[in-house]
């Protein structure tokens, strides 16, 4: 085996030597300028110029070279060497002249001794180029390094042994026992010479070791201290990552099994097999396991848990309180193609522990649950999941936009067919190749109409269209200059008749539906057909242009409207243009330049008011409106008040008559002279004055009675139409006025009407001794007239007695 390793090493050595011979180990460069030599060195100056120097790369030499000839390392060279032997090359530094020799003429460097990288990794030397005749430096002294290249000649060694570890009995599979570490003296930065892997030589039936970290773990869950309390495990470390030809070293690890309670819960099986389909939703129960316990009562109550990291991530274990079983459920979606079998370590613990064993910990047992994932036919999966594509808007129909790819994740790997969900592309702007997934344009594109398209691509199995996957795809339409620029609005401007040359009339801006990546750039000029000498157009170079006057004054009578065609060109490519018209009206202006009128159309120039001024104006208008309303209200109220006062006076006079009075003895209830004064009773007075004296009673003056109290005398000469008209007019006013209450007791004592069938009840004429009127019927008029009837009846009796 040693010969085999030696042959492999020599093979690697010869390969490295060939690489060195083919490479240029002496790289040099001719650089003009200072800094490559020592300032002021006369040997470096010639004709006022600094001579060219050299720059060295790193040299390599393989360690443990056992050939008979010196090992070629590299070559140094100067640009000034013309090959005539006039330059002498020398080296100095570590190993110069002993380990490393240089050919003074050619500059070739050879190693004459066997080198060991583990003892010294590199050598630092300095190179010189001198004139062979004058021994003067032709090049500045340069430092370079020769690095010893590693070969795998050191085996891994365990430096911290002997190793002693321990593990509790009945520990779960994968329990970490301890970590061992081996070191390799070879170069860890070169190759795999120092890359160590670990393996178990003896004791692999009970323990495993992590090949990278050297962590020793238990391989079984039934370690029993009473059966065997000590294990001797041999661990081997191999370099070259365990490849053929790698060197190895080993050590013995003593693992002591520590004691725990010997009566923990026991699973009848150390491994359980369950299966479940990969499409099972999260929370689906996979199976049940139960640990048996020889105890009884509450000591048989169990608690289960998942111990390994993989199991904790993928599965969940709960305890059925009725059956004391461990229910294993899915905690994370499963995938048959990713992993077909999952190994879960389930541990059972007693809830209640005997106090005698409290210091030893809880009773527990573990089992392994192997969950086999069953394959289910799944829809294709899109790969990669990129959802953005771009296409130029001027792309021809049938141009390829992009390609989508979907693969069947199942083991059968059925062929996939593609389609576009037409509900997302009803206009069929895009098509897709059913076999290749190439998306092509189906119609002419227009970015200005729709700059983005969102479509849904379907991928399905060729022989089972029910297995469908969907992917949203965004297609961006890239802009092409296909729209000419246009004036932003139909511009109209006004110019005063007394305008001066150079006066700004209008600033022009344009719009373009295109969106070039470099931004818009527009150019303005007057169209050739303008034939204009009145106005000028100035391109402001910021995508706007200004129109100025070019003459002194305008005359509306001669021409009141000018049409100025403006040509606008964009920056392309290709450059597009359009012509827009600016309408300029000649208007009359005041001395301040404010426009007054343009022909028959008056331009109303409204000054811009601030919000405060507007608010003040509104407040003033509101105050005026309130004042007007207040004045109208007061005026109306005053008018209604006067009207009501007149009505109240009349009604008060009428109301005073609405009483019964005290009979003929009551002569002061009301002064009837107020009504008598309205009429002319002179004739009555004259007639009465000439009456017979026998018509009055004894001691009475009839004329004085008439002055004090009006009496009713039937006379054909009296005209009471004035009373009648007045009363009727007041009645009509009362009927028409709905705001006053009714006066049902409207009466008057002024007269009893004409041709009354009932004689007058007044006792004014009772002084006539010739009266033969009978008042006995007054007793039948009710309680109110009984006193009056009694009075007249008594007076009648007295008259009869006097006569008798």
């Amino acid at each position: 085996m040693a010969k085999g390793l030696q042959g492999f090493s020599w093979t690697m050595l010869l390969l490295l030597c060939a690489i060195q011979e083919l490479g240029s180990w002496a790289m040099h460069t001719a650089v003009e300028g200072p800094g490559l030599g020592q300032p002021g060195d006369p040997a470096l100056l010639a004709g006022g110029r600094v001579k060219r120097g050299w720059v060295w790369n790193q040299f390599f030499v393989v360690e443990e070279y056992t050939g008979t000839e010196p090992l070629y390392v590299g070559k140094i060279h100067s640009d000034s060497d013309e090959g005539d032997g006039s330059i002498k090359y020398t080296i100095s530094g570590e190993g110069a002249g002993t380990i490393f020799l240089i050919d003074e003429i050619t500059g070739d460097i050879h190693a004459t001794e066997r080198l060991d990288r583990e003892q010294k990794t590199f050598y630092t030397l300095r190179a010189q180029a001198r004139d062979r005749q004058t021994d003067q430096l032709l090049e500045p002294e340069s430092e370079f390094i020769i690095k010893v290249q590693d070969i795998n000649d050191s085996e891994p060694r365990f430096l911290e042994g002997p190793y002693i570890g321990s593990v509790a009995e009945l520990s779960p599979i994968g329990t970490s026992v301890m970590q061992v570490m081996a070191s390799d003296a070879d170069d860890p930065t070169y190759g795999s010479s120092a890359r160590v892997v670990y393996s178990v030589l003896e004791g692999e039936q009970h323990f495993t070791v992590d090949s990278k970290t050297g962590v020793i773990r238990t391989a079984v869950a039934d370690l029993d201290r009473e059966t065997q309390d000590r294990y001797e495990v041999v661990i081997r470390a191999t370099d070259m990552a365990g490849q053929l030809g790698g060197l190895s070293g080993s050590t013995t690890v003593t693992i002591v099994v520590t004691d725990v309670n010997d009566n923990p819960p026991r699973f009848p099986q150390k491994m359980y097999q369950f299966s479940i389909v990969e499409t099972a939703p999260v929370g689906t129960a996979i199976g049940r396991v139960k640990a048996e316990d020889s105890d009884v009562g509450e000591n048989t109550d169990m608690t289960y848990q998942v111990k390994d990291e993989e199991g904790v991530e993928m599965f969940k274990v709960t305890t059925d309180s009725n059956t004391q079983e461990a229910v294993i459920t899915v905690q994370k979606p499963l995938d048959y193609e990713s992993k077909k079998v999952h190994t879960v370590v389930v541990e059972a613990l007693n809830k209640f522990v005997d106090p005698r064993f409290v210091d030893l910990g809880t009773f527990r047992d573990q089992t392994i649950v192997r969950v086999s994932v069953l394959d289910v036919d799944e829809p294709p999966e899109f790969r990669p999941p990129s959802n953005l594509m771009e296409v130029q808007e001027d792309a021809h129909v049938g141009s390829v936009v992009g390609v989508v790819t979907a693969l069947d994740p199942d083991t059968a790997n059925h062929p996939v067919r593609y389609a576009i969900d037409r509900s997302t592309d009803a206009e069929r702007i895009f098509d897709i190749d059913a076999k290749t997934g190439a998306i092509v344009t189906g119609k002419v594109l227009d970015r200005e109409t729709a700059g983005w398209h969102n479509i849904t691509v379907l991928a399905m199995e060729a022989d089972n269209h029910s297995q469908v996957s969907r992917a949203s795809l965004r297609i961006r339409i890239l802009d092409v200059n296909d729209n000419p620029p246009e004036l932003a609005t139909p511009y109209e401007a006004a110019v005063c008749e007394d305008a001066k040359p150079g006066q700004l009339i209008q600033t022009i801006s344009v719009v373009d539906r295109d969106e070039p990546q470099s931004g818009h750039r527009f150019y303005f000029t007057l169209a050739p057909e303008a034939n204009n000498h009145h106005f000028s157009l100035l391109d402001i170079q910021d995508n706007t242009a200004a129109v100025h006057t070019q003459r002194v004054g305008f005359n509306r009578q001669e021409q009141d409207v000018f049409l100025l065609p403006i040509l606008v060109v964009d920056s392309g490519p290709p450059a597009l243009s359009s012509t827009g018209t600016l309408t300029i009206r000649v208007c009359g202006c005041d001395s301040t330049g404010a426009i007054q009128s343009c022909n028959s159309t008056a331009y109303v120039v409204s000054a811009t008011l601030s919000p405060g001024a507007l608010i003040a104006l509104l407040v003033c208008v509101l105050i005026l409106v309130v004042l007007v309303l207040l004045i109208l209200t007061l005026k109306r109220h005053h008018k209604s008040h006067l009207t009501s006062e007149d009505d109240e006076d009349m009604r008060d006079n009428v109301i005073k008559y609405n009483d019964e009075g005290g009979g003929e003895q009551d002569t002061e209830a009301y002064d009837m002279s107020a009504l008598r004064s309205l009429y002319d009773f002179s004739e009555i007075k004259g007639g009465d004055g000439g009456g017979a004296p026998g018509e009055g009673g004894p001691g009475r003056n009839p004329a004085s009675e008439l002055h004090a109290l009006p009496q009713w005398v039937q006379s054909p000469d009296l005209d009471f139409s004035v009373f009648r008209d007045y009363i009727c007019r007041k009645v009509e006013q009362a009927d028409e006025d709905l705001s006053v209450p009714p006066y049902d007791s409207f009466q008057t004592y002024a007269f009893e009407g004409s041709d009354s069938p009932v004689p007058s009840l007044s006792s004014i004429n009772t002084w006539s001794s010739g009266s033969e009127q009978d008042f006995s019927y007054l007793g039948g008029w009710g309680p109110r007239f009984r006193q009056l009837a009694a009075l007249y009846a008594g007076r009648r009796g007295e008259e009869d007695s006097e006569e008798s």
Side-chain angles (χ1 to χ4, degrees), residues 16 88 125 139 144 216 234 258 325 327 361 386 390 413 442 453 568 585 670 676 680 711 728 761 799 801 803:
L16 293 172
K88 179 176 68 175
L125 295 95
E139 299 286 357
F144 63 96
I216 301 174
V234 179
T258 59
E325 292 178 320
V327 182
S386 175
E390 296 180 344
N413 194 17
H453 294 274
V568 184
R585 299 182 182 274
Y670 189 78
R676 290 173 59 88
D680 185 8
Q711 63 176 344
C728 291
L761 296 179
E799 292 179 353
S801 61
E803 292 177 357

Side-chain angles (χ1 to χ4, degrees), residues 498-512:
D498 58 351
K500 298 179 181 180
Q503 181 176 335
L504 175 64
I505 299 177
Q506 183 68 46
T507 300
I508 304 297
S509 61
V510 299
V511 293
D512 194 331

Side-chain angles (χ1 to χ4, degrees), residues 54 160 181 205 220 237 246 314 339 365 411 414 435 450 517 528 550 597 658 699 706 751:
W54 47 32
E160 299 179 0
M181 185 175 295
Q205 65 276 17
V220 294
M314 299 297 299
K339 193 167 187 178
D365 190 22
T411 306
H414 297 97
K435 294 183 179 180
Q517 296 181 355
Q550 204 172 8
S597 65
N658 190 17
L706 290 175
F751 65 96

Side-chain angles (χ1 to χ4, degrees), residues 686-702:
D688 290 343
E695 294 178 359
R700 293 193 178 186
N701 188 357

Side-chain angles (χ1 to χ4, degrees), residues 742-762:
Y743 292 91
D744 297 333
S745 301
F746 184 53
Q747 300 177 10
T748 179
Y749 295 99
F751 65 96
E752 296 179 2
S754 61
D755 298 330
S756 174
V758 181
S760 175
L761 296 179
S762 176

Side-chain angles (χ1 to χ4, degrees), residues 218-530:
T218 56
V220 294
D222 57 354
L223 292 177
D224 187 8
R225 192 196 64 82
E226 288 74 20
T227 302
Q228 184 176 351
D229 62 352
R230 187 181 297 270
Y231 292 89
E232 302 291 335
V233 181
V234 179
I235 304 298
R236 178 174 63 185
T238 305
D239 61 10
M240 295 295 292
Q243 297 177 1
L244 182 64
L247 305 179
S248 62
S250 61
T251 187
T252 300
V253 180
T254 301
I255 301 176
V256 178
V257 180
T258 59
D259 188 30
V260 296
N261 192 342
D262 289 340
N263 295 301
R266 296 288 185 182
F267 284 100
Q269 301 173 217
K270 290 302 177 185
M271 183 176 294
Y272 293 85
Q273 296 279 351
F274 296 102
S275 60
I276 186 171
V277 295
E278 61 177 332
T279 56
V282 174
T284 303
I286 300 174
R288 293 171 174 252
V289 297
K290 183 179 180 180
E292 302 294 340
D293 196 321
S294 57
D295 298 327
V296 295
E298 65 179 12
N299 292 330
T300 59
D301 292 344
M302 302 289 179
T303 298
Y304 299 92
Q305 61 184 6
V306 178
K307 292 298 294 180
D308 60 311
E309 295 181 359
E310 177 189 356
V312 170
E313 182 181 0
M314 299 297 299
F315 303 99
K316 181 181 179 181
V317 176
T318 57
T319 304
D320 189 332
S321 58
N322 296 324
T323 62
Q324 297 301 315
E325 292 178 320
V327 182
I328 304 173
T329 56
V330 178
Q331 187 168 269
K332 190 176 180 180
L334 303 173
D335 185 12
Y336 172 83
E337 288 72 27
S338 299
K339 193 167 187 178
K340 300 178 177 61
V341 178
H342 295 271
T343 301
V344 184
V345 178
V346 179
E347 184 178 64
L349 301 90
N350 281 128
K351 285 185 179 180
F352 306 100
V353 180
D354 193 317
R356 294 173 298 174
F357 305 105
V358 171
D359 296 339
L360 299 178
T362 58
F363 293 101
R364 64 185 64 200
D365 190 22
Q366 294 182 344
T367 187
I368 299 175
V369 178
R370 291 176 59 87
V371 181
S372 300
V373 182
L374 303 180
D375 189 22
V376 176
D377 192 10
E378 296 177 282
E381 295 179 355
F382 285 91
R383 301 176 184 175
S386 175
N387 62 348
L388 176 62
M389 293 183 180
E390 296 180 344
V391 61
Q392 295 282 348
E393 66 173 323
D394 60 347
H396 298 289
V397 176
S399 300
V400 177
V401 179
V403 179
V404 295
T405 304
L407 301 175
D408 185 6
D410 298 321
T411 306
N413 194 17
H414 297 97
V416 178
R417 296 294 179 263
Y418 303 92
I420 294 179
D421 186 353
R422 288 304 172 186
S423 63
T424 61
D425 186 25
E427 298 180 2
R428 296 183 175 270
I429 299 176
F430 300 97
D431 294 321
I432 189 171
D433 190 290
K435 294 183 179 180
T436 63
I439 298 175
V440 298
T441 56
K443 290 184 177 181
V444 177
L445 304 176
D446 184 12
R447 189 202 64 83
E448 288 71 30
T449 303
W452 288 86
H453 294 274
N454 298 320
I455 64 174
T456 300
V457 180
L458 309 178
M460 62 199 79
E461 294 182 1
D463 54 353
N464 185 6
H465 289 183
S466 62
Q467 297 296 333
V468 180
S469 294
R470 299 172 178 268
S472 297
L473 184 63
R474 297 190 305 153
I475 301 178
R476 179 184 179 185
I477 310 302
L478 301 179
D479 185 46
V480 174
N481 191 33
D482 56 353
N483 292 282
E486 300 175 351
L487 295 183
T489 59
Y491 285 102
E492 288 192 8
V495 61
C496 296
E497 287 185 298
D498 58 351
K500 298 179 181 180
Q503 181 176 335
L504 175 64
I505 299 177
Q506 183 68 46
T507 300
I508 304 297
S509 61
V510 299
V511 293
D512 194 331
R513 298 175 61 191
D514 295 320
E515 294 182 359
Q517 296 181 355
S518 58
H520 289 291
R521 178 65 180 97
F522 302 111
Y523 304 93
F524 301 85
T525 183
L526 293 177
E529 63 271 17

